[in-house]
Amino acid sequence: LVIGASGGCGLAACAIAKAFGAEEVVGVCSAKNAALVMGQGATRCVDYNDAAAMAELESGEKRFNVVYDAATASGGGEDYTAFCERVVAGPGEGRVVAINGGAVAWIKALTGLQREDRKLILTRQNGPELTQIVELLGGLPEPVIDSTYALTAEGVKEAVARQKSRRAHGKIVFVVEDGPWGS
């Protein structure tokens, strides 16, 4: 289950889950983003605006081995923590992985005091790990880019506004026009 499936991290999670051979990849996103999420590997989508569909996820017999939460504490006030606990498989069978969290969650993550079945992750973008992901995906992935902005004060302001709008589909990219990297 991927919560926040239409954002950059959620889309990547769908693609990686598919590459790992997951039988079912369920994306939680708005209905208008379902086609995008399905195109990145989800086998079905649930609209988070549809209270009945979300309740069905919680009340159904199906529990998920992995719940990847890319939405909680991501800037829009969402908190899927309790929802994750209700849909993940039982102890020793399932795991919740989150990429965001409040102060207490980060303190637990950084001091090694997290529960074994709930992990807040901090990634390292190093060569060997990225090489493994590329190999798993069968080649370089084509990132989904929502929008690009100049790396200027105004561009940063616009990009942050876009991110906070909770309407970005994929990654927000900064373009460096002057400097050692070129354009």
Side-chain angles (χ1 to χ4, degrees):
L1 180 69
V2 179
I3 302 170
S6 65
C9 293
L11 290 169
C14 289
I16 290 171
K18 178 182 176 183
F20 265 112
E23 292 177 20
E24 183 179 36
V25 180
V26 179
V28 175
C29 60
S30 67
K32 69 178 183 165
N33 294 331
L36 171 67
V37 173
M38 299 279 286
Q40 293 297 308
T43 54
R44 72 180 173 109
C45 291
V46 175
D47 183 353
Y48 63 82
N49 293 308
D50 183 341
M54 292 296 285
E56 186 177 319
L57 270 182
E58 287 185 75
S59 64
E61 290 185 27
K62 169 76 173 156
R63 293 292 172 251
F64 296 91
N65 293 329
V66 177
V67 177
Y68 181 79
D69 181 3
T72 294
S74 63
E78 300 93 337
D79 187 350
Y80 287 96
T81 306
F83 175 83
C84 291
E85 297 296 328
R86 291 189 295 268
V87 299
V88 72
E93 298 177 22
R95 181 169 295 225
V96 175
V97 178
I99 61 169
N100 303 300
V104 172
W106 279 110
I107 290 169
K108 287 180 178 181
L110 296 172
T111 59
L113 298 175
Q114 295 184 94
R115 292 179 9 205
E116 280 302 310
D117 63 343
R118 181 161 182 84
K119 293 293 182 184
L120 183 63
I121 59 171
L122 183 62
T123 62
R124 293 179 304 272
Q125 294 79 27
N126 65 37
E129 288 179 0
L130 292 174
T131 298
Q132 285 180 322
I133 291 171
V134 169
E135 289 171 358
L136 174 70
L137 294 173
L140 288 174
E142 183 68 34
V144 176
I145 298 175
D146 173 79
S147 50
T148 59
Y149 297 90
L151 187 56
T152 63
E154 185 61 28
V156 170
K157 183 178 175 183
E158 291 173 6
V160 168
R162 176 71 178 160
Q163 189 273 331
K164 285 186 175 182
S165 77
R166 313 299 295 139
R167 299 295 165 244
H169 311 114
K171 301 308 283 181
I172 295 171
V173 176
F174 289 101
V175 176
V176 179
E177 294 186 7
D178 293 322
W181 305 280
S183 57

